[in-house]
Amino acid sequence: MKAELAQLQLSLSRGNLVEAARLAQLLLRQYPESGQVLKAGVQVHVRMGQIDAAMKLTERLAKLEPHNLGYVNYLARWALQLRQEARAHDYYRAYLKNNDDDAKAWFQLCELLQSAGQSAAALDAVEKALSGDFSPRAHAQVTRAIVLADLRREGEAVAVLRDVLNEDPGHVQALFNLGSLLQASGERTESEALFEQVLDQDPEFIEALVRMIHGRKMTVEQSDWIQRAERAVASQSRSDYELESLQFALAKARDDLGEYEMAMGHMRTANEKQRQRVGAWNQASFRQFVDASITRVTSAWLDHDQKQDQTSERPIFIVGHFRSGSTLIEQMLAASPETHALGELDLFLRLQSGPPQDWWALFDEGGEDRLSAVRRDYLELSRELGAHGARGVDKRPENLQAMGLIKRLFPKALFIHSRRRRLDNAISIFQQQLNDLSRFSTSLLDFSSYDKECDRLMDHWKALFGRSILTVNYESLVAAPEQTGRSLYDFLGLTWTPTALHPGQRGQFVRTASAAQLRQSIHSESVGRGKNYLRHLTQDEQEAIAS
C-alpha cells in the first residue's frame, strides 16, 4: 500500500489525474477502511472537481474518526458550495450527537445557522458554545448579541455588549455593534462616540466611518468625516467591498450637501462596484418569473381547500420597493398594541432565490405538504421574533413577488403596497447599498424595468384579491399623515392612536436606511428630490424613469 500511495501522490504532483484516479480506485477496493487511502481518494476527487465523490469518502472518514471535527468542517464547506445549507447543518448536528461538549463545533454551527436566517437555533448553539470552554469568550458573546438583535431582542443585545465592554473596554467588535444598535434606537451622540472609539483603536475599520456618515445629515461641520472617507477611497489597501461602501457613503454625504453632480458620480462608481461583485440583474429571467406567476396563481389555485382552511392568522405585509415609505408605515403601525413589527423577513425571498424547481413545486397540484411546511416555518419565525398573539407586520418589500403564495398560505393576510414617484424612488435606491439579491438596484435602467414588471404583477394580484390590498402613496402619507394613517388603520381593522403620528419618539430600534429620517417629525422634504439629478441622467435613463 505504501508504494501505491507514493505513486498516487507522484501522479498528482505531475498533474496526471487519470493515473491518480486509477490508483485511488485500486487502493480503495483493496483497503476500503484505510484512513490513508480514503484521504488520498479525497485528494484525487477534489483535484478533479468531483465534490460529491469527495464528500462520500470524507463521510466514511468521519465514521472512522467520529471525534475529528476537521472532517465535518470540510463536509459542511462542500455542502455550502453545492448550495445545500440543510446538509451542512446536519453534518454538525450528527457530529455533536457524539461530541456534545465540543464548544468550537457549537459555535461553528451557530455561524451557519445565523447566515441561514435561523436565528433561534443559532442562539441555542452559541449559548451551548458559551456553556463550554469556547475561547475567546468575548467573541462568542458579541455573536450572541448579534443573534439576539436579529431576534428583535435588541435590549438584551445592548446589555450583553455592555457586559463585554465592562470586561474589555477596547473590544472593537463590541464597540462597533453597540454603536450600531444605539444608532438604530436614535441615540446618535453615544453611537458616534463609540464609532470614534472604534476608529481610534483600528483606523482601518472603515464600516464605522460609513455608519457615522449614514447616521446623520452631513453639514460642513462634518467635512472632516467626508475627507476621511475620501482618503480611505484613495488608499490602495481597501477591499472591493469597503470601496463600494465608502462610495455609497460619499454619495449620501454629497447629496446632503447639495452637491448633486459629485453625488451622482459616487453613486455610479458604487453601483458599478456592487454590480461587479454580485452580478447584473437578469431582466428576461424576472419577466419570465412574472409571466409564470400570473399563469400559475389563479382564483382556483387560491381557493383550493379554503373552505376547510382553519388558519386564523391575519398577518400584515408591507410590500413594494425599498425607500418608498415602508419603514414609516411599519413604525406608524407599531404604535398599535395589536401589532408587532417583525422587520424585513427574508423567508419567501430565500425560497424564491433557491432552485427554481423548489419554488414552483409549491404551486403544483398535490403540493399541500410543502405549503404546510412553509406556513409552519413562517409562523414559527414570527413567534421567535416576538409576535405572540399580536398581528405580525412584515415589511420585506420583495414580498410583492410572493403575494400569491402568501395569500394561499394565509387567506386573511392583508397587504400594504407602498408607492413613491418613480424618479424619487429610483434615485433613493440608486444611492443605497441594498442586499446582494436586489441586483436591480445597481442600474437606473434596471430599476425602471423591475418597477414596471412589479406593477404588472401587482395588477394581477389586485385582480385576484384586490380587497386585501391597500396602496399607500408616500407623497400622500407625508402630506396628510393623519388622514392617510387613519385610512391605513381602518383598512387593517386597528384602533387608531394619535401616537402613530410620532414614530420617531417611541425609542424603537429601526435598522434600515430610514432610521435617521424616522427620528424627525413626519416631513415632505424628500418629495421631489429626484429632480435634483435629472440633468445628471443619460437620455435613456430620463426616458425610462419618466415612462
Side-chain angles (χ1 to χ4, degrees):
M1 179 177 71
K2 188 174 181 180
E4 289 92 336
L5 282 171
Q7 185 61 41
L8 185 153
Q9 293 297 333
L10 181 62
S11 297
L12 280 176
S13 67
R14 292 175 174 174
N16 189 346
L17 299 183
V18 174
E19 177 61 14
R22 186 190 68 80
L23 290 168
Q25 289 178 353
L26 178 65
L27 286 165
L28 285 166
R29 283 196 295 269
Q30 294 177 338
Y31 309 100
E33 300 301 316
S34 167
Q36 284 182 292
V37 171
L38 288 169
K39 290 175 187 177
V42 170
Q43 281 184 285
V44 172
H45 287 308
V46 169
R47 286 283 298 275
M48 298 181 75
Q50 300 169 343
I51 300 301
D52 276 325
M55 291 176 77
K56 288 177 182 177
L57 294 184
T58 307
E59 287 171 353
R60 288 163 61 180
L61 281 166
K63 288 181 180 178
L64 288 175
E65 301 179 49
H67 305 297
N68 190 326
L69 180 58
Y71 296 139
V72 178
N73 293 338
Y74 278 116
L75 287 166
R77 190 183 313 154
W78 288 327
L80 291 175
Q81 286 178 18
L82 297 173
R83 298 181 66 184
Q84 297 174 358
E85 282 186 342
R87 188 178 180 186
H89 304 165
D90 289 343
Y91 283 127
Y92 278 104
R93 293 192 188 284
Y95 170 83
L96 285 163
K97 283 183 180 178
N98 299 313
N99 301 275
D100 186 67
D101 59 346
D102 193 327
K104 185 177 181 181
W106 279 114
F107 185 76
Q108 290 171 334
L109 176 58
C110 163
E111 291 183 312
L112 282 181
L113 293 167
Q114 185 183 8
S115 66
Q118 298 182 31
S119 300
L123 181 62
D124 178 67
V126 75
E127 288 179 344
K128 283 187 166 65
L130 283 164
S131 69
D133 59 354
F134 184 83
S135 179
R137 292 188 66 77
H139 180 52
Q141 287 286 21
V142 170
T143 299
R144 178 170 175 259
I146 294 170
V147 176
L148 284 167
D150 289 341
L151 288 166
R152 306 308 301 266
R153 293 162 60 179
E154 293 96 341
E156 293 176 61
V158 167
V160 170
L161 292 168
R162 291 197 188 281
D163 285 345
V164 172
L165 291 169
N166 285 336
E167 294 290 326
D168 181 2
H171 195 286
V172 171
Q173 287 292 339
L175 289 168
F176 174 74
N177 282 284
L178 180 57
S180 299
L181 283 171
L182 294 180
Q183 186 180 70
S185 68
E187 299 178 52
R188 191 180 71 188
T189 301
E190 187 178 358
S191 71
E192 288 179 355
L194 289 165
F195 290 142
E196 288 283 14
Q197 282 183 258
V198 170
L199 291 167
D200 287 342
Q201 298 259 1
D202 182 3
E204 301 300 305
F205 204 122
I206 291 304
E207 186 61 25
L209 177 59
V210 168
R211 291 290 177 94
M212 288 169 68
I213 292 174
H214 282 294
R216 68 153 68 195
K217 185 169 184 176
M218 293 289 102
T219 66
V220 292
E221 295 176 0
Q222 286 84 45
S223 59
D224 59 320
W225 294 5
I226 299 172
Q227 290 168 8
R228 287 161 77 176
E230 289 173 337
R231 288 195 297 271
V233 167
S235 169
Q236 300 298 313
S237 60
R238 304 295 168 205
S239 70
D240 289 342
Y241 184 79
E242 287 176 327
L243 291 171
E244 177 188 316
S245 299
L246 284 163
Q247 291 287 357
F248 276 113
L250 285 167
K252 186 264 182 190
R254 293 301 177 187
D255 179 88
D256 287 345
L257 295 171
E259 299 169 348
Y260 302 118
E261 184 175 6
M262 293 182 68
M264 178 54 72
H266 288 300
M267 287 186 218
R268 293 197 186 280
T269 301
N271 280 286
E272 180 57 33
K273 288 186 177 296
Q274 187 174 25
R275 192 182 186 91
Q276 291 173 0
R277 180 173 60 83
V278 304
W281 180 64
N282 190 324
Q283 179 180 349
S285 177
F286 189 66
R287 184 181 297 115
Q288 291 170 2
F289 171 84
V290 172
D291 289 340
S293 297
I294 291 172
T295 300
R296 285 176 177 253
V297 182
T298 62
S299 295
W301 184 79
L302 286 173
D303 293 340
H304 184 73
D305 286 342
Q306 283 202 12
K307 289 183 180 179
Q308 288 76 39
D309 187 272
Q310 300 298 315
T311 301
S312 60
E313 289 79 10
R314 297 183 297 150
I316 299 165
F317 294 87
I318 303 172
V319 302
H321 295 318
F322 293 99
R323 315 296 290 145
S324 65
S326 57
T327 299
L328 177 55
I329 294 171
E330 177 204 43
Q331 291 304 309
M332 289 181 74
L333 294 179
S336 169
E338 302 169 66
T339 68
H340 182 81
L342 299 172
E344 297 176 352
L345 304 192
D346 63 359
L347 185 146
F348 297 111
L349 184 60
R350 283 178 179 271
L351 283 173
Q352 186 187 325
S353 302
Q357 64 271 20
D358 292 349
W359 172 260
W360 294 118
L362 294 166
F363 301 82
D364 290 341
E365 190 70 30
E368 286 76 13
D369 289 345
R370 298 186 189 94
L371 291 170
S372 295
V374 176
R375 181 191 294 115
R376 183 175 59 250
D377 289 347
Y378 188 84
L379 291 175
E380 182 179 346
L381 180 58
S382 299
R383 285 190 290 270
E384 289 171 356
L385 293 169
H388 301 290
R391 295 171 66 184
V393 179
D394 182 344
K395 66 174 288 285
R396 189 81 196 190
E398 301 101 315
N399 281 339
L400 184 151
Q401 301 164 34
M403 284 171 62
L405 174 63
I406 293 169
K407 194 63 176 172
R408 171 71 182 263
L409 298 176
F410 304 107
K412 297 178 183 177
L414 294 176
F415 302 90
I416 307 301
H417 179 209
S418 63
R419 292 288 289 159
R420 188 179 181 186
R421 290 174 187 163
R422 183 177 292 155
L423 175 60
D424 290 352
N425 208 167
I427 294 299
S428 293
I429 282 179
F430 199 54
Q431 189 181 300
Q432 192 65 39
Q433 189 177 25
L434 297 184
N435 66 80
D436 291 353
L437 294 176
S438 300
R439 296 177 178 179
F440 57 82
S441 68
T442 63
S443 159
L444 290 168
L445 293 175
D446 283 350
F447 172 73
S448 178
S449 298
Y450 174 75
D451 183 42
K452 292 168 186 175
E453 287 299 319
C454 285
D455 282 350
R456 187 162 68 94
L457 187 55
M458 179 57 77
D459 287 343
H460 180 62
W461 301 145
K462 287 182 176 179
L464 291 175
F465 45 90
R467 292 184 179 180
S468 298
I469 304 168
L470 176 69
T471 296
V472 176
N473 292 306
Y474 175 75
E475 294 78 17
S476 300
L477 179 61
V478 296
E482 182 170 353
Q483 179 183 347
T484 309
R486 285 182 177 275
S487 298
L488 179 62
Y489 267 61
D490 288 345
F491 172 75
L492 297 171
L494 302 173
T495 302
W496 172 251
T497 171
T499 58
L501 299 175
H502 308 284
Q505 297 178 12
R506 295 195 303 275
Q508 294 103 326
F509 289 84
V510 180
R511 299 165 68 190
T512 71
S514 305
Q517 290 173 289
L518 195 71
R519 303 303 167 192
Q520 308 166 28
S521 299
I522 297 175
H523 61 81
S524 58
E525 291 178 11
S526 295
V527 175
R529 71 182 297 258
K531 69 180 184 297
N532 297 316
Y533 291 93
L534 269 174
R535 67 190 184 93
H536 305 300
L537 303 182
T538 67
Q539 186 67 32
D540 286 346
E541 288 170 341
Q542 290 185 31
E543 292 175 359
I545 293 173
S547 64

